[in-house]
Amino acid sequence: MTSHSPGSPHITIRGLTKAFAGVPLYDGFNLDFARGRITSIFGPNGCGKSTLINMIAGLMPMDGGQVLFDGKTLRETVIGYVFQNYRDALFPWKRAIDNIAYPLVRAGMDRAAIDARVDELVTSFDIGFDLKRYPYELSGGQQQLVSIMRALAPRPEVLFLDEPFSALDYEMTLSMRDKLQEVFHATGVTMILVSHDLEEAVYLADHVLMLTRRPTRIAEVIDFGAPRPRTSATLSEPGFVRAKAHALDVFQREVRRAP
Ligand SMILES: Nc1ncnc2c1ncn2[C@@H]1O[C@H](COP(=O)(O)OP(=O)(O)O)[C@@H](O)[C@H]1O
Ligand SMILES: [Mg+2]
């Protein structure tokens, strides 16, 4: 096995420290995220899930510690980020297609290369709506799809998603989960997914990172190895039911633990 094989450490976090108003959230936190895998992050409300991925993605400063991607710094790494609130994340004055092209424009790519890359994304996503529309003309699910395509446009090594489907209705959520699996199958991109839905966290993941209440530690990492693509049938398979029940136990132990 080479150090770049799937499942090997991709993101290494060492000695991460973060406090808000003097109250520690992370204190000497260590973690590896596996390459070419989907890792879900699940834990009590306010335990620092968003803060964790925001620090890794460079959206929020760390107080101390080190995050490396294959030994490289964030500046040397292409990442993508999908926000929970797609309404705030897309540029309302840009058409969907121009939102998707935006990171490529910013990177200084020439027009022909941008058009080729956007075409490629459009083909692989098989979307059923007109990308010349503005975000406000699209449904929530369509807007979130545009956000995901924008995040993938520069071929990121890592894709971060912070509760990406939580503002969508259930039907749309189900189809977006499958879309996300397709993206994963097609690209093999390392995915870090924050979810507040335990079913979703297990369904999509190779590894479920269970966090404690703050100061935040790793309660447990639960592996879920069901074959992909996972379908609604997966939800009733014994392996899934067992993994989800175990995750629920870990979670309840954490929320009941006296602060
Ligand atoms: N910018 C900030 N200033 C002060 N406190 C913050 C800030 N961002 C997050 N926090 C606090 O840090 C904790 C973790 O927040 P967050 O990462 O958003 O939790 P989660 O995503 O797990 O629900 C919470 O107690 C929250 O109030
Ligand atoms: Mg959050």
Side-chain angles (χ1 to χ4, degrees):
M1 289 228 301
T2 71
S3 64
H4 283 76
S5 51
S8 64
H10 191 171
I11 310 174
T12 53
I13 302 169
R14 294 293 178 268
L16 174 68
T17 319
K18 181 74 178 176
F20 286 116
V23 183
L25 181 61
Y26 290 98
D27 188 11
F29 186 82
N30 302 315
L31 175 67
D32 290 352
F33 283 107
R35 178 190 323 280
R37 301 279 190 252
I38 302 180
T39 301
S40 298
I41 306 180
F42 193 83
N45 197 20
C47 76
K49 301 179 291 296
S50 297
T51 303
L52 178 63
I53 69 167
N54 289 343
M55 289 189 293
I56 302 169
L59 301 176
M60 190 184 268
M62 312 184 281
D63 293 345
Q66 185 187 53
V67 175
L68 292 175
F69 303 74
D70 270 335
K72 297 175 301 179
T73 63
L74 177 66
R75 293 177 60 105
E76 301 165 301
T77 308
V78 180
I79 62 160
Y81 194 111
V82 178
F83 295 87
Q84 176 177 4
N85 193 343
Y86 50 82
R87 282 180 217 291
D88 292 342
L90 293 175
F91 301 115
W93 62 87
K94 284 185 190 291
R95 299 175 304 164
I97 195 139
D98 296 322
N99 268 283
I100 295 168
Y102 176 77
L104 308 178
V105 174
R106 266 206 66 177
M109 217 188 237
D110 69 61
R111 195 68 240 180
I114 292 173
D115 291 345
R117 175 62 182 143
V118 171
D119 278 353
E120 190 178 27
L121 279 162
V122 171
T123 308
S124 71
F125 264 81
D126 181 32
I127 47 164
F129 60 94
D130 184 3
L131 284 172
K132 294 206 173 63
R133 291 181 172 202
Y134 287 88
Y136 72 90
E137 298 178 290
L138 304 176
S139 73
Q142 290 169 339
Q143 289 181 54
Q144 198 54 308
L145 209 52
V146 171
S147 294
I148 293 172
M149 291 168 78
R150 180 177 66 179
L152 290 169
R155 302 183 196 280
E157 286 176 42
V158 183
L159 183 65
F160 297 92
L161 307 106
D162 190 358
E163 303 196 16
F165 310 140
S166 62
L168 304 179
D169 65 42
Y170 191 61
E171 188 185 339
M172 186 53 79
T173 298
L174 292 182
S175 81
M176 292 296 284
R177 285 179 192 172
D178 290 338
K179 212 59 171 174
L180 199 65
Q181 282 202 94
E182 283 173 28
V183 167
F184 179 66
H185 179 73
T187 62
V189 65
T190 300
M191 283 197 200
I192 315 291
L193 169 79
V194 174
S195 177
H196 69 273
D197 179 324
L198 189 59
E199 177 180 282
E200 172 171 292
V202 177
Y203 177 74
L204 287 174
D206 298 292
H207 309 293
V208 186
L209 174 67
M210 303 290 301
L211 295 177
T212 68
R213 287 209 297 211
R214 57 187 300 179
T216 308
R217 291 170 293 101
I218 299 168
E220 197 168 319
V221 179
I222 299 168
D223 297 335
F224 180 54
R228 299 182 187 274
R230 297 169 187 172
T231 65
S232 51
T234 307
L235 300 174
S236 51
E237 280 165 12
F240 175 83
V241 173
R242 225 174 13 245
K244 187 181 161 199
H246 180 62
L248 186 59
D249 274 349
V250 172
F251 177 74
Q252 285 181 325
R253 198 193 317 143
E254 247 337 285
V255 291
R256 287 183 189 139
R257 191 166 59 86

